[in-house]
Amino acid sequence: MANRMPEWMLRDLSLPRLRRYIRAAHGDARAAERLYWWNIEVAAALLGSLHCLELALRNALHNALVRHHGRPDWWTVAPLNERGLKLVEDARRSCGRRLRSTTPDDIVAELSFGFWVSLLSHGSGYDRHFWVPVLHSAFPHYRGRRDRIYRDLTSLVLLRNRVMHHEPVHHRHLAADHDTIYRVLGYLSPELAKEAQTMDRFRAVLAGRADVLGGARPPRF
């Protein structure tokens, strides 16, 4: 059993980050290296489907709220809670630092995945003020309860943030995560879900995990 990673990995990637992989590999440093690289490979394979879901959700919710309120800056009249208003203001300020003038589309693009998912929550009466009158219509292929889709999306926000912040995801039930991405995407747009699946390499990457961790093939990302 190997017991030490290369010095350059410890220097360039940092021991505190690598310790999580060493623990997962039960102290085998060589296995931890392979797990680290495979984690990048599988995170990269999830990025495309997460990209499609985040943009489809953002646009579906935004378009529904524009129709409902009759204006592109619907957040100025919608019953957002204090945190929601702060996130919109933060997005406006961020755009203002980069752009000479800010449009509603700029703010929409700046708002986080978590913001859009929060509109489907129960808190602050969002179920009554957003889901019941308008946001259920953003999911034309879904007839279930709000709490189920909110639970699915909350889990995917955590996954998305771990992928985007280069955190471990190898310990998650990634096959279930992947299924959830496409299930929710199908509620929004079956056409986009079908097209994305033709380009998706996630299942091949997942199936190759044992080969990478066993050293039978090198990871690729």
Side-chain angles (χ1 to χ4, degrees):
M1 178 182 291
N3 58 15
R4 187 168 180 80
M5 286 184 160
E7 288 296 330
W8 62 265
M9 282 194 78
L10 299 175
R11 179 191 68 233
D12 297 336
L13 303 175
S14 85
L15 181 58
R17 173 174 293 275
L18 294 171
R19 276 200 185 105
R20 290 173 286 180
Y21 297 90
I22 294 170
R23 285 195 297 270
H26 307 291
D28 185 333
R30 187 71 187 98
E33 286 182 50
R34 295 175 184 139
L35 181 60
Y36 183 86
W37 298 123
W38 184 82
N39 191 82
I40 299 176
E41 182 176 3
V42 78
L46 286 164
L47 189 59
S49 56
L50 286 169
H51 169 111
C52 292
L53 175 63
E54 183 168 351
L55 266 64
L57 180 73
R58 172 207 297 172
N59 291 325
L61 298 185
H62 172 64
N63 290 337
L65 287 161
V66 169
R67 289 192 300 269
H68 183 71
H69 292 288
R71 54 191 300 167
D73 59 345
W74 54 265
W75 47 83
T76 62
V77 294
L80 289 170
N81 61 19
E82 184 176 350
R83 174 164 174 73
L85 290 170
K86 181 181 184 304
L87 291 173
V88 171
E89 183 57 28
D90 289 346
R92 191 196 320 275
R93 289 177 180 174
S94 179
C95 291
R97 288 192 293 269
R98 296 182 290 103
L99 305 170
R100 288 187 176 182
S101 61
T102 300
T103 68
D105 281 344
D106 296 325
I107 294 173
V108 167
E110 190 72 21
L111 288 165
S112 70
F113 190 23
F115 169 84
W116 297 104
V117 172
S118 75
L119 298 180
L120 305 175
S121 71
H122 174 75
S124 301
Y126 275 15
D127 53 340
R128 299 189 308 276
H129 298 311
F130 285 101
W131 177 259
V132 173
V134 55
L135 291 187
H136 70 278
S137 67
F139 301 88
H141 303 279
Y142 180 67
R143 294 294 180 269
R145 293 166 54 93
R146 175 204 56 79
D147 55 354
R148 180 190 170 195
I149 200 167
Y150 176 67
R151 184 170 60 249
D152 284 345
L153 282 165
T154 298
S155 178
L156 293 177
V157 168
L158 295 175
L159 173 65
R160 180 263 187 208
N161 288 344
R162 294 190 75 82
V163 167
M164 297 305 294
H165 291 95
H166 319 306
E167 295 291 332
V169 295
H170 60 82
H171 58 287
R172 292 179 61 105
H173 189 342
L174 292 173
D177 287 331
H178 188 253
D179 288 345
T180 302
I181 291 170
Y182 279 101
R183 183 172 67 253
V184 178
L185 187 54
Y187 299 152
L188 294 160
S189 172
E191 299 86 355
L192 177 56
K194 182 178 179 180
E195 184 70 13
Q197 284 176 320
T198 67
M199 297 175 277
D200 194 321
R201 62 189 178 91
F202 167 81
R203 294 208 178 276
V205 172
L206 187 64
R209 173 175 175 149
D211 287 342
V212 172
L213 300 189
R217 80 157 175 87
R220 300 180 181 88
F221 54 82

